[in-house]
Structures are given as structure tokens and as C-alpha cells.
Amino acid sequence: MSEPITIDIWSDIACPWCYIGKRNLEAGLAAVASDEDAPKVDITFHSFELSPDTPVDFDGDEIDFLAGHKGMPREQVAQMLDNVTNVARNAGLEYRFDLLKHTNTVKAHELLHHAKAQGLQHEMEERLMSAYFTEGKHVGRIDDLVELAAEVGMDADATRDALNNDRYLPAVRQDQAQARAYGIQGVPFFVVDGQYGISGAQPPEAFTNVLRDLWAKRGESEESPAAV
């Protein structure tokens, strides 16, 4: 029985391309799931903060933030957001930048590590990204995060305690240190089997090709005679 292919994903809740990349990966996985010898895959999300200096309660909309953060004209930012919205729609996502509440995401990353300990990291990642990009919900305050955690089946009191006490902040920092060690400067970034890097929101085919190739090589190595 072959070991699963590992996919480690560095992303940020507030990264629009990360949600698109997540959807494209899921589409790629769905495509290989029907293969006669479908690859087994183990996915782990890791923390990356695009704007760690962002306040929890930012006074302004997404255009205000990006215009100030990147020094771009507001008209150019608006065009950029329209483009991202169209790309997201093609991936099956309805972005609502008009509702989006820009915030600091470190607590959301702590929550993802807490969810991982409960075996609910994938559910929590999806809930956070949906809340942020499509529902206009706040994902930076503990009260709001506890509510979202409860929606995916996590204990509210235990979650609040973990977030109030920064229990998983060291795990967030460890992810960020690993990203620096890999030389990751932008997200999403996918590390496949600890050896292949895929940068950006690549189309589903990019993932299907890598997975099928790796899985085939795994099968070949298992069929070859063992070294004595």
C-alpha cells in the first residue's frame, strides 16, 4: 500500500488567490479520484500572514486598504479586484469585496491549528475563507472566530480558551519560519511530497499532472526488486 502524497499549503485567510488555489486543487483532486489507481493525498494547511501589521479593526474597505498598503491608485485597485472577482467566479466562488472586512489574520491562523488538533482543519479553512470573501464576516476577533468554529463542530469554550491564551501562536510562528526556510515569499504555495513547489493559483491540470506523475513513480518503485 503506497503512502499518501503529502501536499503542504502555505496560505492566508485574507489572500484571494489562496481560496481560488484551494478550489483549483480540489478540482484537480476530483479529476484524479476517478482514476483506476487514484492517488492517495494528505493535505495540511500552514500559516502565512500577508499583512501582519494590519489592525484587527481596519477603518475602511478593501480598496482603501490596498491603495494605502500598495500605494496604487484607487481606480487601479478597483480594476484589480474586478479581475480577481472574475477569476474567482470561474472557480465557482462569488467574492464580495464590497462586504469584506479587512483584518489581522493571526488569530484565524491560531484557530486553524486548534482545528487541526481536533481533526477539523479542512472544514475550518473552508469556513473561514467563505466567511471572509463571500459573506462579509469578521475573521479577526475572537468572538467571531469562536462562532465560526462552533459552526464546524468545535467546542466554543475550548476554542475561546485556546485563542485567549495564544496556545497555538508558536505553531503559527513555526509555519512562518518554515516558509522562510523554503524561500516562500508569496501565497498560495504548495509543497508536494516535500520536494516539488507549486506557486500561485495554478489551474486544476497543474495538480492532476503532478499527482499522477508522482503516483505512477511510486507504483514503479514498489514493483522494482528491493535492494539487498
Side-chain angles (χ1 to χ4, degrees):
M1 183 69 70
S2 297
E3 288 293 317
I5 295 170
T6 61
I7 302 180
D8 292 279
I9 307 171
W10 271 262
S11 65
D12 192 359
I13 300 305
C15 165
W17 294 105
C18 291
Y19 202 7
I20 294 168
K22 180 177 181 293
R23 277 292 182 274
N24 288 348
L25 170 61
E26 290 165 354
L29 291 171
V32 300
S34 58
D35 290 0
E36 184 175 349
D37 183 23
K40 299 178 183 67
V41 180
D42 185 13
I43 299 171
T44 303
F45 289 95
H46 298 275
S47 304
F48 191 101
E49 290 179 90
L50 285 173
S51 303
D53 57 343
T54 304
V56 172
D57 292 298
F58 176 75
D59 185 17
D61 60 17
E62 187 70 353
I63 294 179
D64 292 326
F65 176 81
L66 290 175
H69 191 73
K70 295 182 178 295
M72 298 165 56
R74 291 181 64 85
E75 296 77 12
Q76 185 178 349
V77 173
Q79 291 176 359
M80 183 179 70
L81 294 181
D82 286 343
N83 175 61
V84 174
T85 299
N86 289 331
V87 175
R89 187 173 294 117
N90 290 333
L93 299 167
E94 291 296 329
Y95 280 3
R96 292 294 305 272
F97 286 109
D98 57 321
L99 301 177
L100 188 148
K101 294 179 176 62
H102 205 89
T103 186
N104 189 290
T105 59
V106 69
K107 284 296 175 186
H109 286 296
E110 291 179 40
L111 175 56
L112 284 171
H113 280 280
H114 180 53
K116 180 183 176 183
Q118 316 300 315
L120 291 168
Q121 189 191 44
H122 291 196
E123 293 83 354
M124 195 72 255
E125 180 86 16
E126 176 65 28
R127 187 68 196 96
L128 285 167
M129 287 185 158
S130 176
Y132 186 72
F133 282 109
T134 73
E135 302 168 42
K137 294 194 173 185
H138 206 298
V139 300
R141 298 183 298 233
I142 289 178
D143 286 348
D144 299 276
L145 291 171
V146 168
E147 184 176 322
L148 292 171
E151 289 180 17
V152 302
M154 295 171 63
D155 182 82
D157 291 337
T159 299
R160 186 181 301 279
D161 180 68
L163 295 178
N164 278 329
N165 291 295
D166 298 336
R167 186 173 305 147
Y168 292 94
L169 184 58
V172 173
R173 300 303 183 220
Q174 184 176 359
D175 277 354
Q176 293 168 331
Q178 183 62 64
R180 289 191 294 272
Y182 277 142
I184 299 172
Q185 297 181 338
V187 288
F189 196 92
F190 306 81
V191 177
V192 185
D193 256 5
Q195 54 185 320
Y196 298 101
I198 300 176
S199 178
Q202 299 297 324
E205 295 76 19
F207 297 106
T208 59
N209 292 337
V210 169
L211 291 172
R212 283 173 173 152
D213 183 56
L214 279 174
W215 198 247
K217 288 178 178 176
R218 231 166 245 203
E220 292 169 2
S221 66
E222 289 180 358
E223 290 173 3
S224 60
V228 178

